[in-house]
Amino acid sequence: MPNERRVLKLAASLAECLPQATAYGTCVSKQAERITKDACADEFSKLLDCVKKQMKVKRIKRANRILTFFKYNYKIVPPFRVLVDGTFCNAALANKINLREQLPKYLGGDVEIVTTKCVLAELERLGSPVYGALVICRQFTVDMCPHMPHRSPTECLAHLARRAAKGNTKYIIATNDDSLSEKLRTIAGTPILYIKYNAILLDRVSEVSKTAAEQPKSEIDAVKAMKAAVFGEQEVKKKKRKIKGANPLSCKKKKVDNSADAVVRTGERTASSKRKRSKRKRATDPETSNQTIT
């Protein structure tokens, strides 16, 4: 089933790269009888880049959906504290993945990568086969764990995950250990990171986390049912809206402004000015006007 799911995802990504796939198919069909190695290398590289880009976009969208669930239900928000173990660092080394560079891109926020002294002690005990993973783990901050003497990384990280579920410090556990992943799936509110197919992936939300996220709603419903059984169902009376009249301010009559200055007519004497006379033009006689014209 996992392989079938992967084939379906690849087919969906190929469908998004139709122009590149058409160009590659045309190139191959033209040279079908005399095909040589790297004959359509350019077309194939373009198709491969397009498919990788589409799969990366879908991978990031899937991670955003999972992180949104943990954000609203368990308050896991940036900056994310990613707790890594030796198996995860070893897989990152084998797949040539730079964790400091790729984790913030994949999770979409600031990331603080931490490990524990139990993980470091386990890697030091195993020696040269995991020396590269030990070097990577030593680059990260060593978070406090109460184990003395040291426990196995599986027990240590599971203990921190259980403590994080009850406290304010939230972790995203990064591991490629299947036994540890099974334990973490039984702890509500624990996101799990792993490396597969040469990429960092977020594990799907466990059923325990989904059930715990729905539990507060069911508790509220139970309290409401108990309250109704004890006190009885109370009918909520709706208030009737009163018919409102017109706005009294809009019904007021307009005030007449009597404070306007009186108009001073010509020919009247005022206190501040002398009597003014209006000049009128004399009416000209038609005879005199004709004489002047002639």
Side-chain angles (χ1 to χ4, degrees):
M1 290 299 291
N3 292 332
E4 183 180 352
R5 195 183 303 116
R6 191 181 180 192
V7 170
L8 292 174
K9 289 181 180 179
L10 180 61
S13 300
L14 277 171
E16 298 292 334
C17 302
L18 189 59
Q20 291 82 356
T22 304
Y24 177 66
T26 304
C27 178
V28 172
S29 62
K30 286 181 179 179
Q31 306 180 31
E33 297 180 357
R34 46 186 178 81
I35 192 72
T36 58
K37 185 180 179 181
D38 297 334
C40 302
D42 294 338
E43 289 80 0
F44 180 75
S45 63
K46 291 178 181 178
L47 176 61
L48 185 62
D49 292 340
C50 180
V51 170
K52 285 183 178 179
K53 184 178 179 181
Q54 292 297 327
M55 294 185 75
K56 183 178 180 181
V57 169
K58 292 180 180 179
R59 185 165 56 91
I60 292 175
K61 285 183 178 179
R62 176 179 175 273
N64 289 338
R65 287 197 301 269
I66 296 172
L67 287 175
T68 301
F69 172 83
F70 286 107
K71 174 183 176 181
Y72 288 108
N73 293 290
Y74 296 100
K75 298 180 181 180
I76 299 177
V77 294
F80 301 109
R81 290 178 67 84
V82 179
L83 181 59
V84 300
D85 69 346
T87 60
F88 189 80
C89 293
N90 198 28
L93 180 64
N95 291 278
K96 298 179 181 179
I97 296 174
N98 188 342
L99 296 179
R100 290 189 185 276
E101 181 182 345
Q102 295 299 324
L103 279 175
K105 290 182 180 179
Y106 180 62
L107 298 177
D110 295 334
V111 172
E112 183 183 0
I113 307 174
V114 298
T115 187
T116 64
K117 54 187 179 182
C118 294
V119 173
L120 295 176
E122 179 75 8
L123 292 174
E124 289 173 357
R125 187 180 63 81
L126 293 174
S128 58
V130 291
Y131 179 74
L134 176 61
V135 172
I136 294 174
C137 281
R138 282 176 176 171
Q139 298 175 4
F140 307 137
T141 305
V142 179
D143 213 353
M144 293 296 295
C145 69
H147 304 135
M148 188 58 69
H150 301 306
R151 295 186 184 179
S152 66
T154 302
E155 295 178 358
C156 178
L157 269 63
H159 171 78
L160 291 179
R162 284 191 292 269
R163 190 173 69 178
K166 300 176 183 178
N168 295 325
T169 303
K170 304 295 182 181
Y171 289 111
I172 298 177
I173 310 296
T175 180
N176 271 39
D177 187 356
D178 294 335
S179 61
L180 176 57
S181 298
E182 288 297 326
K183 284 187 177 181
L184 295 175
R185 290 189 187 100
T186 61
I187 303 171
T190 306
I192 305 170
L193 279 171
Y194 62 95
I195 294 176
K196 197 173 184 180
Y197 308 129
N198 197 21
I200 301 172
L201 298 171
L202 260 173
D203 195 13
R204 62 182 181 274
V205 181
S206 64
E207 294 298 328
V208 176
S209 297
K210 291 180 182 178
T211 306
E214 295 173 358
Q215 188 174 359
K217 297 179 182 178
S218 60
E219 287 181 356
I220 291 171
D221 294 337
V223 170
K224 287 182 179 179
M226 290 174 62
K227 188 176 179 181
V230 174
F231 299 103
E233 294 184 359
Q234 297 178 358
E235 295 182 359
V236 179
K237 294 182 179 180
K238 294 183 179 180
K239 293 183 179 180
K240 294 183 179 180
R241 295 183 64 182
K242 296 181 180 180
I243 300 173
K244 296 182 179 180
N247 189 356
L249 296 177
S250 63
C251 299
K252 280 188 174 182
K253 295 181 179 180
K254 292 183 178 180
K255 293 182 179 180
V256 180
D257 191 5
N258 296 324
S259 62
D261 296 335
V263 179
V264 180
R265 298 179 181 177
T266 57
E268 294 181 356
R269 187 185 297 275
T270 59
S272 60
S273 62
K274 295 181 180 180
R275 182 176 180 180
K276 295 181 180 180
R277 293 182 180 180
S278 58
K279 294 181 180 181
R280 296 180 181 177
K281 292 183 179 181
R282 292 181 180 180
T284 55
D285 296 334
E287 296 179 358
T288 56
S289 59
N290 291 333
Q291 290 177 1
T292 55
I293 292 171
T294 56

